[in-house]
Amino acid sequence: MASINGAADQPLLGGGGAAGAGEHKDASGTGAGARYEEEQLRKELELISRTNPNTGLSTAEVNLRRDEYGFNELPEKEENIWLKFLSYYWGPMPIMIWLAIIIELIKAGTTGDGWEDFGVLMVLQIVNGTVGFIEEKNAGNAIAALKEQLAPRCFARRDGEWQKLPGRDLVPGDLLQLKLGDIIPSDAILLGVGKDSLDVDQAALTGESLPVTIFHHEKVMMGSAVKRGEMEAVVCATGANTFFGKAAGMISEVESTGRFQKILFKITLGLLFVSIIFCAVIFIKLVVSTSAHSIRSSNKWLNAISIVVVLLVASIPIAMQVVCTSTMAVGSRRLASRKVIVE
């Protein structure tokens, strides 16, 4: 690759580029926000100016910057595996089973009858929670493998050679080669080597329906897609320090339920409503119409409640969420293995 403006020791962004970027920031507004942006710009320019335009970063410099900035990936919340396991014994469906277990335990302790039902329900609760935990863990492993398979890769210049690297290995100051179809793996500033501009699709970040033209010495953002042109760029921010990472960090602070979970919850509520109606009819029938010869009057209520609760538990698919989650995860992995989902 030819050096910028033909000089090996000349900074990647010349005085014109820095001035142009500064003017752009000054025009964006004044006050604390503008000063913060200017300070960030100054730090970015200072960082990338230490990158050799002919050789890129050395391995030693990459290691130093990785120790300082970490990998180019977004932080993920770590879940306590034991709390995750115990969560499978708490919720609408597990609570119903616990209720049935308590009723059967009271019945067995009072009448001496019903220990078999108590044992069956207890085994059902334990097996359902354990299987649900294992299956979702396997589904999580399938999703992790899919994410690794679909992780973006890029061309970066290191030690004087262009190398194809995983996007997570980038550090601020890396030289990138961007071309048509690439997913930009980090925030970067265009150098103007190749063409004067790139057309970039930023719909995932800004919602714009049409590609945006980005000129040299301007910034492209992580997660954007190159739609036209080819140009070299230098990484100015990675991971949580990128525009995408900051937006994701703010979103992650908001607790929300996904659409899939909402749909499953609505289906469960619908089935529960229907089941309660039928169980209420059965309960009334057992209490009112049962003769004293089949059920003693003193235990008539307890036996009726026991039967109704067991029927209510049996009428609702308690493992529906586990089955759906596992099926979707395995299906996604198979689609990726057949190249239906591609990088």
Side-chain angles (χ1 to χ4, degrees):
M1 179 189 75
S3 63
I4 309 302
N5 295 331
D9 57 350
Q10 189 165 342
L12 288 172
L13 296 180
E23 291 170 2
H24 176 72
K25 292 297 180 183
D26 290 340
S28 64
T30 58
R35 288 195 298 271
Y36 174 78
E37 291 183 1
E38 291 174 1
E39 180 64 18
Q40 289 295 107
L41 176 63
R42 186 190 64 79
K43 290 181 180 179
E44 292 172 357
L45 294 177
E46 180 183 355
L47 178 67
I48 64 180
S49 66
R50 301 200 301 265
T51 301
N52 189 315
N54 291 321
T55 62
L57 297 178
S58 64
T59 302
E61 183 66 22
V62 168
N63 292 333
L64 288 175
R65 297 192 183 192
R66 182 169 294 135
D67 291 339
E68 181 179 356
Y69 297 100
F71 284 97
N72 180 32
E73 56 188 5
L74 302 182
E76 296 183 358
K77 292 183 179 179
E78 295 184 0
E79 291 184 310
N80 187 303
I81 190 170
W82 293 109
L83 293 179
K84 183 68 174 177
F85 175 73
L86 292 177
S87 69
Y88 285 88
Y89 297 97
W90 182 259
M93 294 300 100
I95 287 176
M96 290 182 57
I97 300 179
W98 286 124
L99 179 62
I101 289 173
I102 293 172
I103 292 175
E104 290 298 332
L105 181 62
I106 295 174
K107 176 184 174 183
T110 304
T111 65
D113 183 24
W115 288 108
E116 297 83 0
D117 293 339
F118 169 78
V120 170
L121 289 173
M122 182 63 74
V123 171
L124 174 64
Q125 182 78 302
I126 295 173
V127 170
N128 184 65
T130 303
V131 171
F133 173 75
I134 294 174
E135 286 300 318
E136 185 157 335
K137 188 173 184 296
N138 292 337
N141 293 338
I143 294 298
L146 178 61
K147 289 170 63 177
E148 182 177 353
Q149 182 178 347
L150 300 180
R153 302 180 68 84
C154 59
F155 281 97
R157 192 167 198 175
R158 290 181 178 174
D159 297 319
E161 296 181 356
W162 288 104
Q163 307 173 24
K164 190 172 185 179
L165 304 173
R168 73 185 298 269
D169 289 346
L170 292 178
V171 296
D174 263 326
L175 286 178
L176 298 179
Q177 187 180 63
L178 303 177
K179 61 184 184 301
L180 176 66
D182 284 350
I183 303 297
I184 299 173
S186 64
D187 285 2
I189 296 178
L190 300 180
L191 298 180
V193 180
K195 290 188 177 181
D196 291 333
S197 65
L198 287 181
D199 282 356
V200 178
D201 182 3
Q202 300 181 148
L205 300 173
T206 63
E208 295 170 289
S209 59
L210 297 176
V212 178
T213 301
I214 308 294
F215 296 95
H216 65 281
H217 296 161
E218 292 185 342
K219 185 185 291 187
V220 290
M221 293 181 289
M222 178 184 186
S224 305
V226 179
K227 293 300 183 181
R228 182 188 64 82
E230 183 174 342
M231 194 181 297
E232 293 178 11
V234 59
V235 176
C236 62
T238 57
N241 295 321
T242 62
F243 177 85
F244 182 85
K246 293 175 181 177
M250 290 187 291
I251 294 174
S252 65
E253 295 176 357
V254 179
E255 297 292 337
S256 61
T257 305
R259 177 172 173 78
F260 179 65
Q261 284 75 18
K262 290 180 180 178
I263 292 175
L264 289 182
F265 185 70
K266 289 181 179 179
I267 293 174
T268 303
L269 285 182
L271 293 174
L272 180 62
F273 179 74
V274 174
S275 299
I276 288 177
I277 293 177
F278 283 105
C279 287
V281 174
I282 295 174
F283 177 77
I284 295 173
K285 177 69 174 178
L286 289 174
V287 172
V288 175
S289 303
T290 303
S291 63
H293 297 287
S294 57
I295 299 180
R296 291 179 300 174
S297 58
S298 59
N299 298 323
K300 181 169 58 177
W301 287 88
L302 187 59
N303 282 314
I305 293 174
S306 173
I307 294 172
V308 167
V309 170
V310 171
L311 290 176
L312 186 61
V313 170
S315 63
I316 299 175
I318 55 179
M320 180 172 58
Q321 182 172 354
V322 175
V323 173
C324 292
T325 302
S326 303
T327 302
M328 292 175 65
V330 174
S332 298
R333 192 169 184 180
R334 288 184 178 179
L335 288 174
S337 66
R338 298 181 183 182
K339 305 301 180 182
V340 177
I341 303 177
V342 296
E343 180 181 339

